[in-house]
Amino acid sequence: MLPGTYPEGDHWIGRHGRQEHGPMPVHRDWQTRLGTNPDDVTAWWAERPYSLLIATGSTVDALEVDAELGRAGASVLRALGFPVPIVATPRGRWYFLTAGGGKLAADLADVPGIRLHGKGSWVAMPPTAYPGGQVHWRVKPEVCAWRLPTPDFVQDALRTGREHLDNNADVAELLAAGR
C-alpha cells in the first residue's frame, strides 16, 4: 500500500501540505518504497490522513471504466456466477481488480473511458476519502475468496456488457447465445 494525496475542500493535499492532483502517491520515489517495512508504512499514515493506494502491475492490475459499463460488466459477471473485486469512486469510476501483468485488448483500448492500470500505475482503495464521498467496494474481495480473475476474463465480461448497452439486450440472452 502507498500513501496518496488526500482531499481538502475541492483540492488534493500532498506531502508537506503542498497542493497536488489526486489521488496520487505523495512520494515521488513511490516505486522504490514498495515492500517497505510495515512499521514505516504505519508511520506514513500517522503524519496525515493520506489516501490508500495500491500499486498495480505485478500482483494486481485494475480495469477502469465508467459507472454505466461497470454496472453492465458486473451484471455479466454476476450472471456467470463469478463475481470479482470491484472498487468505485464517488466520481463514477469503477475499477475491476484482476491478476497482474495483463494487457488491454485492442478492441477495448479504442473505447474512450476504458483504461488498464498496470505497471507504473496505482488505484485508490477503500476507504480513501474523495471530494463528495469515499472510495468503496462494489464487490468485496472476500466474495470471490480473495482470488483475482485473469484480465481476459474481465475484459470478456466488459465486452458482453458493452454489447448489452449498445443493443439494449438482456444479459442472460447474450450469455445463452454463447457471447
Side-chain angles (χ1 to χ4, degrees):
M1 295 292 172
L2 302 166
T5 55
Y6 58 93
E8 190 173 274
D10 61 353
H11 58 277
W12 294 83
I13 301 296
R15 192 163 173 86
H16 307 297
R18 290 190 310 255
Q19 188 168 338
E20 303 277 356
H21 300 286
M24 61 185 285
V26 296
H27 299 112
R28 294 192 196 287
D29 63 344
W30 66 270
Q31 289 177 314
T32 64
R33 294 173 183 252
L34 297 176
T36 298
N37 169 320
D39 292 334
D40 292 337
V41 172
T42 301
W44 291 337
W45 274 272
E47 296 173 17
R48 299 199 182 266
Y50 293 125
S51 59
L52 182 63
L53 306 179
I54 187 168
T56 56
S58 113
T59 304
V60 64
D61 283 346
L63 284 158
E64 177 183 352
V65 299
D66 63 33
E68 182 179 41
L69 181 54
R71 281 195 248 348
S75 179
V76 169
L77 292 165
R78 196 170 35 256
L80 290 170
F82 293 101
V84 303
I86 305 171
V87 174
T89 73
R91 297 217 169 137
R93 303 305 296 169
W94 286 35
Y95 299 89
F96 289 74
L97 302 183
T98 69
K103 293 187 179 184
L104 187 57
D107 62 319
L108 293 177
D110 291 337
V111 178
I114 297 179
R115 176 180 175 195
L116 173 67
H117 290 269
K119 186 171 176 65
S121 189
W122 60 85
V123 293
M125 300 300 292
T128 294
Y130 238 81
Q134 282 188 311
V135 174
H136 61 279
W137 290 107
R138 297 297 300 189
V139 178
K140 293 180 178 183
E142 53 266 24
V143 170
C144 56
W146 293 86
R147 292 194 179 125
L148 294 174
T150 66
D152 293 340
F153 180 73
V154 174
Q155 290 180 53
D156 285 344
L158 292 174
R159 280 187 197 93
T160 303
R162 282 191 66 224
E163 190 173 327
H164 161 72
L165 293 172
D166 291 345
N167 300 323
N168 202 17
D170 180 74
V171 169
E173 289 174 17
L174 289 173
L175 294 173
R179 178 67 195 113

